[in-house]
Amino acid sequence: MNTKKVWFVTGASKGLGLTLVKALLARDYQVVATSRKRQSLIDAIGNSGNFLALEMDLTNNDDVVKKIETAVNHFGRIDVVVNNAGYSQIGTLEELSDAEVKRNFEVNVFGALNVIRNAAKYLRKQQSGHIFNIASIGGFAGNFPGFGIYCSTKFAVAGFTEALAVEIKPFGVNTTLVYPGYFRTDFLSKGSVQTPATPIEAYATAREVEAAHLNEIDGNQPNDPEKAAEVLIAVTEENNPPVHLFLGEDAYDMVFNKIKIITDTVELWKKYTLSTAY
């Protein structure tokens, strides 16, 4: 295994990002980690010669440019980019404000695009590398009441990642879209997840789903983030890594549930589907 690869991980002060950074450093990889606050990275990870902690505003393209340049100047290159930063915005489509929706897209979608846009030129020039975009099983199956905006950001990540995979592959750069199920991190904890500023009482089902995520699922997720980190590291060593990577038995089941729904629906309404031809 090449232990000199340089990893660039966003959203690394907690959750899967933090777990991944710790696993990488334990294996002597060189790691650049970013977060909104640099001190949170230092507090969580400490200092070492293989580790560079950077405070970065994902939504500010100029700041992303500077921090990627800093990373390249420090370690000489970047080999693996992990777009992990993001947060869950709970709320139905009616009750979320324009500002709440835009903020979720700014971080989850446009933040990742800022990193890709500015890291790709280095990977393309060196004719090697790997980009991981962390979506969610909610970016494949969006039928979660109260999570429509969050899921839509992850559907967007899935869409542009499929295009990126074929755009950048000719330059020797691999791309993997990761769809995690529920992992036991603080992703659903207070301070990480955002609830609607102006909830509408009529949406009883959405409130029930919201309460279940915050009070029952949080802390009881079935998947281990340390095992997820092991998978990501292992995938970079594959000769032909996957573009689509589902993580977790729950994610696995949701994939086939949706495939069945789509297949059954297409067949049921086939006469309309095929009726539009000349």
Side-chain angles (χ1 to χ4, degrees):
M1 181 181 291
N2 180 3
T3 58
K4 296 302 181 183
K5 283 182 179 178
V6 180
W7 289 62
F8 186 96
V9 183
T10 70
S13 63
K14 56 186 177 180
L16 178 59
L18 175 59
T19 302
L20 175 60
V21 168
K22 288 182 175 180
L24 291 167
L25 291 172
R27 289 159 179 76
D28 295 324
Y29 284 98
Q30 296 172 315
V31 182
V32 182
T34 78
S35 182
R36 288 172 296 174
K37 296 181 179 179
R38 182 176 181 273
Q39 190 58 48
S40 65
L41 294 167
I42 301 300
D43 292 343
I45 302 166
N47 285 300
S48 78
N50 282 353
F51 178 58
L52 176 64
L54 296 176
E55 186 169 307
M56 185 174 77
D57 179 0
L58 280 172
T59 66
N60 183 328
N61 186 68
D62 290 340
D63 192 39
V64 174
V65 169
K66 292 176 183 177
K67 298 307 160 57
I68 291 178
E69 287 180 348
T70 298
V72 173
N73 289 336
H74 186 85
F75 285 122
R77 60 189 290 123
I78 293 174
D79 296 293
V80 184
V81 174
V82 183
N83 277 305
N84 171 71
Y87 71 94
S88 180
Q89 174 65 66
I90 297 177
T92 66
L93 301 190
E94 181 184 354
E95 63 194 351
L96 287 179
S97 68
D98 180 65
E100 288 171 309
V101 172
K102 286 182 176 177
R103 179 60 183 169
N104 207 200
F105 271 84
E106 284 174 359
V107 174
N108 293 8
V109 178
F110 296 111
L113 287 171
N114 286 340
V115 174
I116 291 167
R117 182 185 308 113
N118 294 296
K121 64 180 181 181
Y122 295 103
L123 304 181
R124 177 168 49 80
K125 289 178 181 178
Q126 71 193 28
Q127 296 284 298
S128 67
H130 200 139
I131 298 173
F132 286 96
N133 290 332
I134 310 299
S136 163
I137 190 57
F140 184 81
N143 57 333
F144 299 91
F147 285 82
I149 293 304
Y150 170 73
C151 288
S152 70
T153 68
K154 295 306 184 177
F155 268 84
V157 170
F160 70 62
T161 302
E162 288 189 351
L164 176 65
V166 292
E167 290 171 353
I168 206 164
K169 183 68 173 179
F171 303 103
V173 181
N174 294 312
T175 304
T176 298
L177 171 62
V178 184
Y179 302 89
Y182 289 102
F183 278 80
R184 200 167 299 179
T185 69
D186 54 5
F187 185 72
L188 293 174
S189 303
K190 291 181 180 179
S192 295
V193 67
Q194 298 294 314
T195 54
T198 311
I200 298 173
E201 292 185 8
Y203 284 104
T205 301
R207 293 289 82 78
E208 290 172 3
V209 173
E210 175 184 322
H213 279 77
L214 298 178
N215 302 323
E216 298 170 22
I217 297 174
D218 184 31
N220 295 303
Q221 296 95 325
N223 296 300
D224 183 350
E226 291 187 5
K227 292 180 179 179
E230 295 289 345
V231 170
L232 297 186
I233 295 170
V235 166
T236 64
E237 302 301 323
E238 294 285 346
N239 291 327
N240 188 26
V243 173
H244 298 271
L245 178 62
F246 293 87
L247 292 181
E249 185 176 352
D250 51 347
Y252 181 90
D253 291 339
M254 288 182 204
V255 169
F256 288 100
N257 287 340
K258 178 164 184 178
I259 289 173
K260 185 178 187 306
I261 290 171
I262 296 297
T263 301
D264 291 349
T265 301
V266 169
E267 289 300 323
L268 180 62
W269 300 102
K270 182 178 179 179
K271 68 176 181 179
Y272 287 122
T273 302
L274 302 181
S275 69
T276 58
Y278 282 105

